Amino acid sequence: MKDYENQIRELKNIIEANDNIVFFGGAGVSTESGIPDFRSVDGLYNQQYDYPPETILSHTFYRKNPQEFFRFYRNKMLFLDAQPNAAHKKLAQLEQQGKLKAVITQNIDGLHQAAGSKTVLELHGSVLRNYCESCRKFHDAPYILNSQDIPKCQACGGSVKPDVVLYEEGLDQKTINAAVRFIREAQVLIIGGTSLAVYPAAGLIDYFQGDKLVVINKAPTPRDSYADLLIQAPIGEVFAQL
């Protein structure tokens, strides 16, 4: 395995030589901003609750037990004070330079946009958007955080649901189509901060047919053996070197 300095140098060269780069990221991009990862050793999946997180964050549980859903959601899904880290900022900078064409993210925290990225495809939605299920009125994240029990619409009294994709719910087809197009047309695909364990999102990688596949992740991924460049390190730390 190449030493770390050589890996960083090679990543710089790849970015320098290409102007059609797409980034595909997951929870590891935001852990350095203080947002816990679901699947890491100290992530939410390894903490103890009355129900497993994947059960609580399912459509069925949301319908049957909304009070418990929102209790968990407020405590463990809303990190509204989190700030973009070096990875978010560098990706925004690369977009401004015309090199990065899109960020495709599994995260729901809005930190890519907060860092200045414009073309962000949110596969799993965003905690920053919440809509009344009756009248579709928009409510922001602080409204959800500061509400009691089940958030109710200010306009009609209907239930307000976060615009996040729960287990058992399908991904937005327009977002999927756009992600496929960006990945298929990319010269370089950088996969960062994701275990590539969540489908159908992880399956989008199959559409890449460009020149260079870069994988940056602390833990092994199913795509490591396909990577032209593999860096096993925190992505914020790597991007801070660029």
Side-chain angles (χ1 to χ4, degrees):
M1 186 171 162
K2 301 170 189 169
D3 69 44
Y4 186 56
E5 285 185 11
N6 285 341
Q7 291 172 340
I8 297 296
R9 193 176 302 115
E10 187 173 343
L11 179 58
K12 285 180 180 177
N13 291 340
I14 289 171
I15 292 172
E16 186 67 32
N18 292 278
D19 60 3
N20 185 352
I21 302 168
V22 169
F23 179 80
F24 182 94
V29 179
S30 291
T31 51
E32 289 164 272
S33 292
I35 296 178
D37 176 8
F38 268 50
R39 287 173 180 76
S40 66
V41 174
D42 55 350
L44 289 181
Y45 274 43
N46 290 282
Q47 298 177 21
Q48 296 299 309
Y49 297 98
D50 292 342
Y51 305 89
E54 63 265 53
T55 298
I56 298 175
L57 296 174
S58 69
H59 181 83
T60 298
F61 192 92
Y62 170 76
R63 290 292 175 215
K64 288 185 175 177
N65 201 342
Q67 284 182 302
E68 183 69 7
F69 171 89
F70 277 108
R71 190 169 73 85
F72 178 88
Y73 183 83
R74 289 186 191 97
N75 289 339
K76 298 298 179 185
M77 304 300 291
L78 293 180
F79 297 89
L80 304 186
D81 294 330
Q83 297 297 316
N85 61 52
H88 300 106
K89 292 173 184 175
K90 187 64 183 181
L91 288 165
Q93 182 186 340
L94 291 173
E95 183 186 46
Q96 288 159 10
Q97 293 170 351
K99 290 190 163 293
L100 186 80
K101 300 308 179 191
V103 168
I104 302 168
T105 181
Q106 300 169 82
N107 296 340
I108 57 176
D109 49 50
L111 290 181
H112 285 293
Q113 293 93 327
S117 289
K118 304 298 183 194
T119 305
V120 181
L121 305 183
E122 295 173 313
L123 297 174
H124 296 151
S126 173
V127 299
L128 303 183
R129 298 187 299 269
N130 307 273
Y131 296 98
C132 173
E133 295 195 87
S134 298
C135 75
R136 299 299 295 164
K137 178 180 170 61
F138 171 86
H139 296 74
D140 63 17
Y143 183 79
I144 302 298
L145 184 63
N146 297 321
S147 63
Q148 301 297 317
D149 295 327
I150 304 164
K152 295 297 182 183
C153 177
Q154 293 169 304
C156 76
S159 296
V160 178
K161 183 178 184 290
D163 188 18
V164 299
V165 179
L166 302 176
Y167 289 96
E168 305 165 348
E169 294 181 341
L171 305 190
D172 177 72
Q173 196 58 50
K174 283 172 65 176
T175 305
I176 288 289
N177 292 346
V180 167
R181 188 179 75 252
F182 277 116
I183 290 172
R184 185 184 279 142
E185 295 174 358
Q187 295 170 310
V188 175
L189 178 62
I190 301 175
I191 299 171
T194 174
S195 59
L196 294 175
V198 178
Y199 282 80
L204 295 173
I205 305 305
D206 294 334
Y207 290 97
F208 178 63
Q209 47 198 16
D211 300 328
K212 296 285 186 183
L213 177 65
V214 178
V215 176
I216 307 168
N217 198 52
K218 288 197 293 186
T221 82
R223 301 294 170 139
D224 290 359
S225 60
Y226 299 93
D228 297 287
L229 175 61
L230 171 65
I231 305 178
Q232 291 187 312
I235 187 160
E237 176 189 297
V238 170
F239 274 56
Q241 313 285 322
L242 299 179

